[in-house]
């Protein structure tokens, strides 16, 4: 039932005249979130212009007003079809104009009616109505009586559950004897949804209406009962846990009185000892003590207290002042390095120099070493050897794919499941604050909206600031100045430059076949034999078998796959020995296939014939040097150039430069420029799924192109690398050593290199120089003189694609 606040109302209109006749045309007011029933009193705030107009018109006449509910309460200015047709003729009992133009009114429902027609729609709604007469039952039959009783009882129950029941309400409920009125009264008080209430008002038959209300009531009773039950359960729960807490506190007090320790006090005491033992920095100790005091005051089972415990566990386990003592004996260090690593003389020397400086000046900051090279060349094992030589702990984390600064620096403790960053995690793992700390894949570090991990890394590495490296989780700084950081990367190009500036890059470029053979014999095989539980005398590898594993089962700059394949071999033999075979076993070329399956790479596959339009370039990839085949063909067309094989922009430009060079010098090749009138030239670099870029395939593309033009084949044993200018000059390139090793693996015997790269030849191992002839050139003429054969082509065959490792190739 609506209520009103009499004091607010200025214009009080005299009470209703029951004899009055309701006019058939009335102003109409749509309302949003209420359905008005007959007899219901409803206070309304009216603000919409049309509605205010309707009220004013009503007041100026006999105060009748038709009130109907709009279908969607969200609409500001509902159209006739957006308003329910059945509503209630109401009378304005009181009204008050507010200074802001709004009107406050108290209305009472008089009779149910239907809108027959909209007479006016613009400044206000005026409607023609038809009063709906309810069929009146003079005698209330038994069924209706029972239903009414039910409805009364339900209503009382609900009101009682809601705490709204009073004797007054009770007597109103019993005093109503008309089923229709009872239905309306209860419905208007049920807090129904608009469409439910409208559905009720639209039921004309009073008995049917009461039945519907009864249904709604029984549903509501269930709901209210459920709600009350839940409420009381929650209350019980809270009071139980409060009770438990008090009891526990009492037990604690009793224990204390008796001089015994309970679990909780024990826990707190343990933390106290651990904090003392951890020898933290002053700030850290203060923070740990503070958190411990918080823990003491918390409910021991609360979620919060477990967060604090995790934090304290981290704090007490970090090596705040735990360090290992450096033992730097250069001779011994040399023997450790030599024992684990064959060759790598220059790198071992550099490491020994580094250690010597450390020995003489322990405070020296020194550069941060960064080992750069393809996978499996020994970066990790060198790091481990350094740690061994200095008797330091060794930890290793990978930075590959990290884009979020929080990975380095940790998440703030406000995050659920927050942890310290990887650096602090690594230190905990090391258990000392001066480990050799290796960070892998620094070239694969990313950056995005979550912050730049490289700047956090810089703070960790920079000797000027890393004595107070701050981790978000600890919310404290940790001294990293004693840590010896070593970084690793596959290529140095993508290392963030701010980091690169602070590092000393040491290149490890990969091994030749001979080196691999020696390392296999001296290191890899003995290790695998031992790991698989085989006695050295039970197994023997022939040199031929080892070389075949290197060339036909692996194709890599490093040693990873080689070690894996040798491991597989040993495992297979271990099984035979375990099954009772005596051995000793000879692993020879012939027996390889039995253990390792058919070869995975055929080096001679590409060496069949020299072909027209097929040249061999050299690329430098993440996994070392690689040969890169370039194909060129002349096809019917209009002098256009087609480039395929996922070439990057720089490579496409080189191709265009190569074509321009060829056309500018067309006379030299004894070809007529008219050839381009009806021919297109197509350049393709196979292994099309791998994106390739870089300028150094320039001369290889020009050679393939000119070979296609002149129909002179390119010598299959020649590989080349070099950038080309429009005038045909050959410019220098990078990564010569890696490329040379790649060429050797592919069975090349002559490598054309830019004249300016001649000085890099000193870095090429002697045994490589023995097998490869390097020909420095200054211009394209010299390239063609070496690369093109003069003999007429043999029958051309489609060139075969070679299996390539994934990764972006830089030529
Ligand atoms: P990276 O870290 O560069 O990927 P690893 O250090 O994991 O490579 O080396 C791969 C394997 O090759 C290791 O088992 C390592 O001991 C071995 N290895 C690498 N270089 C040498 C070497 N010069 N002498 C002996 N073993 C080596």
């Amino acid at each position: 039932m609506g209520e009103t606040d009499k004091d607010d109302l200025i214009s009080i209109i005299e009470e209703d005249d029951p004899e009055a006749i309701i006019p058939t045309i009335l102003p109409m007011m749509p309302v949003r979130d209420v359905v008005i029933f007959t007899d219901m009193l409803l206070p309304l705030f009216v603000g919409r212009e049309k509605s205010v107009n309707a009220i004013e018109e009503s007041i100026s006449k006999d105060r009748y007003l038709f009130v109907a509910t709009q279908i969607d309460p969200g609409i500001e200015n509902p159209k006739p079809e957006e308003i329910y047709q059945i509503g209630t003729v109401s009378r304005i009992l009181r009204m008050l104009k507010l200074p802001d133009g709004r009107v406050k009114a108290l209305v009472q429902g008089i009779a149910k009616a239907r809108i027959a027609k909209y007479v006016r729609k613009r400044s206000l709604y005026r409607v023609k109505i038809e009063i709906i007469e309810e069929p009146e039952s003079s005698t209330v039959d038994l069924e209706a009586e029972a239903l009414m009783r039910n409805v009364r009882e339900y209503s009382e129950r609900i009101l009682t559950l809601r705490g709204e029941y009073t004797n007054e309400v009770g007597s109103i409920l019993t005093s109503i004897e008309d089923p229709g009125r009872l239905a309306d009264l209860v419905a208007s008080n049920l807090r129904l949804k608009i469409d439910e209430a409208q559905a009720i008002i639209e039921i004309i038959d009073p008995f049917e209406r009461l039945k519907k209300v009864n249904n709604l009531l029984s549903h509501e009773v269930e709901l209210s009962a459920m709600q009350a039950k839940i409420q009381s359960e929650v209350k019980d729960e809270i009071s139980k846990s409060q009770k438990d807490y008090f009891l526990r506190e009492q037990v604690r007090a009793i224990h204390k009185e008796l001089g015994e320790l309970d679990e909780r006090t024990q826990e707190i005491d343990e933390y106290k000892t651990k904090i003392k033992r951890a020898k933290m920095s002053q700030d850290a100790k203060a923070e740990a003590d503070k958190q411990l005091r918080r823990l003491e005051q918390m409910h021991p089972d609360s979620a919060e207290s477990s967060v604090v415990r995790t934090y304290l566990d981290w704090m007490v386990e970090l090596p705040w002042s735990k360090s290992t003592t450096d033992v730097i004996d250069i001779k011994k260090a040399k023997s450790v390095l030599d024992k684990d690593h064959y060759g790598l003389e220059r790198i071992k020397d550099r490491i020994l120099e580094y250690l010597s400086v450390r020995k003489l000046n322990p405070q020296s900051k020194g550069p941060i070493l960064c080992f750069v090279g393809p996978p499996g060349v020994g970066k990790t094992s060198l790091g481990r050897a350094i740690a061994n030589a200095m008797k330091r702990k060794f930890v290793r984390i990978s930075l590959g794919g990290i884009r979020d600064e929080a990975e380095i620096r940790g998440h703030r403790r406000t995050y659920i499941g927050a942890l310290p960053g990887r650096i602090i995690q690594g230190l905990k793992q090391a258990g000392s604050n001066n480990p050799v700390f290796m960070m892998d894949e620094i070239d694969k570090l990313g950056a995005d909206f979550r912050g730049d991990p490289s700047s956090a890394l810089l703070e960790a590495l920079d000797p000027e600031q890393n004595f107070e490296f701050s981790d978000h989780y600890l919310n404290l700084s940790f001294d990293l100045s004693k840590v010896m950081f070593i970084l690793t990367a596959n290529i140095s190009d993508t290392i963030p430059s701010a980091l690169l500036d602070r590092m000393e890059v040491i290149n490890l470029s990969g091994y030749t076949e001979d080196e691999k053979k020696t390392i296999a014999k001296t290191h890899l095989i003995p290790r695998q034999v031992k790991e698989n539980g085989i006695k050295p005398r039970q197994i023997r590898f022939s040199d031929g078998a080892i070389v075949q594993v290197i060339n036909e089962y692996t194709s890599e700059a490093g040693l990873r796959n080689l070690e894996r394949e040798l491991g597989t071999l040993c495992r297979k033999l271990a099984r035979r020995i375990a099954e009772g075979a005596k051995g000793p076993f000879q692993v020879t070329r012939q027996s390889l296939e039995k253990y390792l399956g058919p070869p995975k790479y055929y080096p001679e596959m590409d060496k069949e014939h020299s072909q027209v339009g097929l040249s061999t370039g050299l690329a430098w990839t993440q996994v070392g040097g690689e040969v890169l085949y370039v194909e060129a063909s002349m096809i019917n067309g209009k002098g256009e150039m087609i480039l395929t094989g996922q070439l990057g922009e720089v490579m496409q430009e080189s191709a265009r430069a190569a074509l321009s060079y060829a056309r500018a010098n067309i006379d030299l090749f004894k070809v007529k420029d008219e050839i381009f009138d009806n021919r297109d030239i197509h350049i393709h670099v196979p292994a099309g799924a791998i994106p390739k870029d870089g300028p150094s395939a320039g001369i290889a593309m020009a050679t393939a192109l000119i070979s296609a033009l002149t129909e002179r084949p390119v010598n299959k044993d020649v590989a080349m690398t070099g950038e080309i200018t429009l005038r045909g000059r050959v410019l220098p390139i990078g990564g010569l050593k890696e490329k040379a090793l790649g060429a050797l693996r592919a069975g090349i015997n002559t490598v054309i290199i830019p004249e300016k790269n001649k000085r890099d030849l000193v870095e090429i191992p002697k045994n490589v120089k023995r097998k490869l002839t390097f020909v420095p050139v200054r211009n394209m003429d010299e390239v063609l003189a070496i690369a093109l054969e003069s003999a007429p082509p043999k029958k051309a065959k489609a060139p075969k694609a070679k299996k390539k490792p994934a990764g972006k190739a830089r030529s």
Side-chain angles (χ1 to χ4, degrees), residues 340-344 373-382 396 511 519 523-524 527 559-560 563:
D340 291 348
H341 298 93
Y342 168 84
L344 305 175
V377 288
K379 299 183 295 292
T380 313
S381 65
L382 277 173
R396 179 170 164 230
Y511 300 105
I519 295 174
H523 292 83
L524 307 181
R527 181 158 56 221
L559 300 163
R560 278 216 190 139
E563 186 165 19

Side-chain angles (χ1 to χ4, degrees), residues 30-305:
V31 289
R32 291 177 200 257
D33 40 17
V34 64
V35 173
I36 181 164
F37 288 87
T38 312
D39 286 345
M40 181 171 165
L41 280 171
L42 185 71
L44 290 169
F45 269 103
V46 183
R48 291 187 276 187
E49 197 185 335
K50 269 188 182 171
S51 302
V52 174
N53 289 345
I55 287 195
E56 276 176 354
E57 178 169 303
S58 161
I59 290 286
S60 69
K61 292 186 179 155
D62 38 17
R63 300 170 3 239
Y64 284 112
L65 175 73
F66 187 68
V67 180
T69 307
Q70 60 187 70
I71 296 171
D72 175 357
I75 295 178
E76 185 59 27
N77 202 354
K79 298 194 193 82
E81 60 273 20
E82 289 165 338
I83 300 170
Y84 287 114
Q85 281 192 328
I86 294 184
T88 302
V89 177
S90 309
R91 217 150 181 228
I92 301 176
L93 300 187
R94 293 168 194 158
M95 81 152 238
L96 164 68
K97 282 192 171 177
L98 301 173
D100 61 2
R102 286 189 305 160
V103 172
K104 191 175 171 183
L106 178 70
V107 302
Q108 180 175 30
I110 304 287
K112 192 182 292 186
R114 170 185 293 112
I115 300 173
K117 195 172 154 196
Y118 277 79
V119 182
R120 198 179 161 150
K121 296 183 195 163
R122 228 165 292 156
S123 57
L124 81 161
Y125 281 128
R126 201 177 290 145
V127 293
K128 183 160 185 280
I129 56 154
E130 284 164 8
I131 299 289
I132 299 172
E133 302 288 349
E134 299 199 344
E136 208 167 311
S137 47
S138 49
T139 52
V140 175
D141 67 17
L142 217 57
E143 196 183 350
E145 180 63 49
L147 192 59
M148 285 174 69
R149 205 181 276 180
N150 235 355
V151 167
R152 286 191 197 104
E153 269 175 29
Y154 273 149
S155 304
E156 284 173 14
R157 285 244 297 273
I158 292 174
L159 290 171
T160 316
L161 281 169
R162 288 186 191 161
E164 291 168 6
Y165 183 80
T166 60
N167 287 338
E168 219 178 353
V169 176
S171 63
I172 293 175
L173 279 171
T174 33
S175 70
I176 298 175
E177 288 179 350
D178 177 64
R181 275 195 65 208
L182 182 62
D184 289 348
L185 175 76
V186 174
S188 62
N189 282 284
L190 256 181
R191 301 177 196 166
L192 296 174
K193 290 191 204 112
I194 295 299
D195 48 354
E196 283 174 343
Q198 183 69 30
I200 288 181
I201 199 175
E202 290 191 359
I203 302 173
I204 312 295
D205 185 85
F207 181 68
E208 288 303 320
R209 191 151 82 242
L210 191 60
K211 254 177 140 171
K212 174 83 184 168
V213 168
N214 188 46
N215 285 346
L216 288 171
L217 277 173
S218 79
H219 179 65
E220 185 66 24
V221 167
E222 272 174 34
L223 267 184
S224 299
M226 180 85 73
Q227 211 177 348
K229 186 167 161 246
I230 293 172
Q231 284 255 320
S232 79
E233 276 176 4
V234 171
K235 241 187 189 157
D236 284 356
E237 190 63 30
I238 292 175
S239 54
K240 182 178 178 305
S241 78
Q242 266 170 353
K243 200 171 106 199
D244 287 357
Y245 183 68
F246 283 121
L247 284 176
R248 228 179 267 127
E249 286 302 299
Q250 275 176 342
V251 172
R252 276 186 78 192
I254 294 170
H255 277 302
K256 211 166 159 194
E257 200 63 21
L258 293 174
E260 294 167 359
L261 289 179
D262 71 316
E263 243 176 67
R264 188 111 182 271
T265 326
Q266 231 169 339
E267 183 189 21
I268 302 284
D269 284 352
E270 266 172 35
Y271 274 126
K272 276 187 191 150
T273 345
K274 281 186 191 164
I275 291 175
K276 209 180 285 168
R277 236 188 276 148
K279 298 212 188 84
M280 303 178 184
S281 64
Q282 221 173 12
D283 289 352
K285 170 127 188 355
E287 179 66 20
D289 286 341
K290 185 172 133 202
Q291 295 299 332
L292 188 60
R293 276 197 301 280
R294 280 187 64 212
L295 182 65
E296 226 171 336
Q297 259 135 49
M298 275 175 197
H299 191 299
D301 297 336
S302 66
E304 177 95 34
S305 74

Side-chain angles (χ1 to χ4, degrees), residues 630-649:
V630 179
E631 300 172 354
S633 283
M634 304 295 290
I635 50 177
N636 287 338
K638 289 192 292 270
E640 278 166 23
M641 182 158 77
I642 306 163
L643 294 172
T644 51
Q646 286 223 39
L647 310 186
E649 246 167 64

Side-chain angles (χ1 to χ4, degrees), residues 703-719:
T703 304
L705 210 155
I706 292 162
S707 157
L709 269 178
T710 57
E711 298 190 354
R712 285 170 65 187
V714 187
N715 186 334
K716 68 178 169 44
D717 298 324
V718 176

